[in-house]
Structures are given as C-alpha cells and as structure tokens.
Amino acid sequence: MTLEEGQILFREGAPGENLYVVRDGELQGKSTLGTAINTYGPGALIGELAFLKKEPYTETITATEDCELIEITPDALEESLEQEPAWFRSIISFLTGRLQIAGENKRKSDKIKALPSLLYILDSLSSRVKANEETKVSHAEVIDGVEKLFNLSKDNIEDLLKILEELEVLKILGEEIHVKNANVVHLLYESIRFRARYRKTPPQILSMTEQMVLNAVIKTVQQSTEPLKNGAFTVNTESLLKVGKRAMFGATLTLRTMLPLLERKLLNASVPLGDGAVLPEIEAIPFFFGDFDTILDLMELNRIYPLLDKKLVK
Amino acid sequence: MTSRQQLIPPTHQSVKAGFVVYSPGSEYRSIVILEEGELIAREVTPPHSVVFTMRPGDLVGVAALLEREPFKYELSASKDSKITLVTEECMESELKRLPLWLLALIRSLSAKTHLLKRAAIETRVRNTLKSLAEYLSHKSSDTEFNLAELLREFSFLTKISTTTAQEDFKSLLRRHLIKLSQKNGRVFCKIVDPELLHIFTDYIRAQETETEFAPYRLSIVQKKILVFLSAMEVSPEKTGPDWISYIHEKFPDADVSQWISLLQIQWFVKTDPKNPDCDLFKINKAKVQYFLKALRYETNIRGVL
C-alpha cells in the first residue's frame, strides 16, 4: 500500500488489526500520552502489539513523506504460523507477553521515580502561597512543572495526583489543587529524599511505640480545656497517664518509652532529666509540653508514608 | 523443494525427578519447553531459593537464546517430566525458514523489550537543560546554594548524571541565569531570577515543539502596547469595547483584531473568571511582566550573549 505525505495510517485508540512494514519513506507516531515523537523509516515495523494482542493502536501514525508499506493481516500471520512447528507459536506468544510486561513495568517505574519530582513541585508551589492550613495551587502549574522537570506525561502525573488524593494529601478541584497540609508535603518529600540518599528509615518515621505515645498526647491535648499558646501545648502527667492507659493498647507509658521523643524535643519535660542515664518515675514530672502542629504533622506523615509505597506499586 | 529450508528438529527428552535440565555454567543454550510434569528454577547460591515453578506449556530460555541474556538459575525437574529442547541450531534453522516480515517481527519484539528494560533504569528526561532550569526556578534568589547539594538533589529527582548536570549548569551560567562563586573551596550557586529560569523553560519547550515563543513574535504595535500597559500603575476595569477604544486612542494602528490577539496572549483577563456573564476586563499584570522580562532578557534566553 502507499500513503501520500500527510496521510494518516491509523489513529491512536483505533482497534488494532494489521501490522505494517515500512518499505520506503518516513512516518511519525504521536501519542496523546506523551510528547515524544517516534519516527519510522524503511525496515521499521508499526503496530506490533496491536497486531498480536488485538489491542488498540497506541499512537497516531502520519506519513511525513510519500510512503510505501507492506500490510500484514492477522490471516497472513495465522497462515505462516500454521506452517511452523507448534512450539514456535509459544515463542511468539512469550515474546509478546514479555514486551507487554516490560511496558507495564516501565510505566510503573516511571510513576515511582516521578513521585519525588511531583512532591518537589507541590512543596515549592505550596510554600509560595502558604496560607493557614489548606493551600491552593494551580493544577496547570503542577502539571507543567513536573512535565518540564521529569518529562512525565500528563496522564501519569494525573494518576500520581490521584494517589495523593486517595491518601488525603490533597484534593483536586478542577483548575485548583488544594494541598491539605503543606508541611506534610514537605516532610514527605524530605523523608523520601533521605531514604534515597542514606538507604535507611528517615528520622521523621516513628516507631509504633513513639506513635502510640504521641497519639496519647494528642488525645490528652484534645480533651484538655487549656488553650494552646502560640501553638504550644501543655499536658499534665496525670491526665496523660489516664489517656495513655486507654490509647496505648496495653503498653505502659513511662519516661523510658517517652525518651526518644524527649531527646528529639518533640516532647519536653517540665523538669530537667539530666543525661537520661537514670530516669525518675513519670509521676515525678508535673507536665509535658511541645509544639502541637509539629506533632500533628509528624503523625500525618507517619500515616501516609507506609501507604504510599503500597499504592505506587499497585 | 520450496524456498523454505529444512528444519533441524528439536530434542524431546523424558527426565526423572531431580534431573538438572540446565545449569548456569553450561555452554549450551536452548529453549526449554515443558510438555509434562514440573520444573523448578532455583538460585545457584545458598539458600538455593525457588524462583519460579514451570507448569506444562511453560517455556524458558528465549531471551538467553535470542538475545544472549544470561539465564542465572538452575533448572531441575521436581517430578518426572517430558521436555522439548530447542537448541541454537534448531532455532537458527527455524528462523531461516520464516518469511522476512515474521523474522523482523521477532527481532522487533526483542529489541523493544530490551529498550524498555534499559529505559526503566535511565532518566526519562530528554532535555536536561530544561529540566535543570525548571528545578532551579523553584529555588529562591536570596540564598547561596551549595552546588554539590543542588547536584545531588537534582540527580535524585531526575536520575540525570552529575556530569550532564554540570554541563547544563555551565550553560545557565553562560546565559547569566545563575551565578557561581567559591568560598572555602566550595562552589555556591545563586539564582539570578527564578522567573527568568521559568521563562527560559517555556522558551525551550516552544523550540522543542517547533512553535514560535509568544514573546518573540510580537509586532511593533504590540511591543508598544506592552510597554504602555506595564507602566500603568493601576489596572482599570473596562468592558471589551471600552478597552478597544482606549487602546485605539493611544495606538491608532490597534483595532478589534489586535484586541483579540491580546486576549489570546492573556494580557487581559476577566475580572471575575468564574462568572460567565462577566464582561469586565483588567490587565493581567503577571502576564505583562512575563512578556516584558522575556523581551528584556532575550539575549540571555536565546543564549546569544
């Protein structure tokens, strides 16, 4: 068959049927999923997976000059395979499946690798317009930024945004993206960056015991009638112990369990604890204090962090 | 005899449970097709974990035979089994018999898989300079950043090699879009103007898509209007016809078509974009500044200093 310059061989999404071999001339393939342009010259094959798997064509192919093509129909394939030994069909099917899997793995790996770029852009845009709690950033600016930084297609960026939406990190509202808590986005980005650089758990990721202690602290603060002072909370030890009994699922709240949080200044004791070698009984400390938002942000990060990897590899 | 050459037949074997069908040390490559029974592939190093189990109809060794990819597991029969071995000679004789298009199809499936596997470990970024400019456009202009840290973070984000990124830093330096300085043996980078870097990324994108960059296709009248609009301290709110006559009064060459062009390049926006009935327009100061900056620093952006 021949095509004149500018003629379309097939459109993206059209049901896959024939395979084409370019004999002469040049064609270009463009997909709405990316900006890359594929060029097909003499000897090139067009539409292999669509031909073998009967899947829709993945790009629109246009002749950029007058072309001559060989059209291979599914009947021609069947006729050829009938003349080959039975095992040969298995090899074709294996190679097809392997190409498909490689494509899927590539798409998955692209998304995983693009997440830091998306968080970097979201963090940067959120910090520019940081409001009280919820921050609005332009949907188009996010897409534009990630596309320029990482060269990920719009559809894949949207998929990543949806994952973050499912994790309640943000909400997509038409032209705007509402970032629920810009600090959490920043913490998430820094945690992933730390993990990639040092190949170990980021310091922001808390142990189960630390999370249970902070959960007890949050509940105590929420039940308290004492208002926050510039975001700082104070909880008296008696109330904390009462809440701790219920909130720590059998674990006992002691200064030893609280020590890692005290050392990191997430919690502060109202009396000095020395070097921590000999700790007093928790009842000897009248109250604890700290920054409430820092604790809430950290707990939110610890909720999201383990879920994110699972969502990405799904 | 037809044009098809003779096929060297594959080997059929019956093997007992425990028989090692393939060992990674072997010089012989072949595709193993399991007809009956069960085969298992194990790691060759302790604890010799089972990697996968083959059921009748499964096959292994295609990549090893066709692409010389190493098959690193030991394959043994876990039950009495019947197997078919397609050796190199057998495959070669088969490939020679195929019509050319089918041979090309097999080669293409192999080559594309290989490319995808390689691409999965390489950077996706095609234009590394655009990517670096985008990355730096999100940094503030009032900080001196340690260059080594910037390189590390950029490489983490994009998987672009440090050597490539260093070349791109030089390219931005030549354009005066960044400044580099040295203190105590360390190199520091200062962003001259993040917005200028952002404009630069838009310029590169226009080049990639072979479209003309909007700020560099303005007519003389449009450039005059741009300077006029940027000098206006307050942005009045007027209807379209009022703006047309206002602009026409200052620039007699500007007519309705000019107004449409100015709307297309977003120098004017509706005062209430969410209200479809809104007919009042104001100057889009941010866009006007963008165009003005792009023109003012055209030599930096084009890299023709």
Side-chain angles (χ1 to χ4, degrees), chain B residues 220-279:
Chain B
I220 302 284
V221 181
Q222 284 172 330
K223 283 182 184 170
K224 283 180 186 169
I225 297 173
L226 178 70
V227 174
F228 172 72
L229 293 177
S230 68
M232 286 178 78
E233 283 183 10
V234 285
S235 170
E237 293 182 359
K238 296 173 190 289
T239 62
D242 284 350
W243 271 116
I244 293 167
S245 48
Y246 182 73
I247 294 169
H248 184 70
E249 198 179 294
K250 309 278 178 193
F251 305 94
D253 291 348
D255 53 12
V256 182
S257 66
Q258 191 64 263
W259 169 248
I260 294 167
S261 301
L262 299 185
L263 281 180
Q264 278 168 349
I265 53 178
Q266 298 168 31
W267 288 3
F268 292 90
V269 283
K270 283 190 173 181
T271 52
D272 183 4
K274 285 177 184 164
N275 177 9
D277 298 328
C278 172
D279 62 352

Side-chain angles (χ1 to χ4, degrees), chain A residues 48 84 144 147-148 189, chain B residues 67 94 108 153 202 205:
Chain A
E48 299 97 314
E84 306 306 328
D144 184 62
E147 193 277 326
K148 282 176 181 164
Y189 172 67
Chain B
E67 294 153 24
E94 172 60 26
S108 172
E153 186 181 31
D202 286 343
R205 179 140 73 189

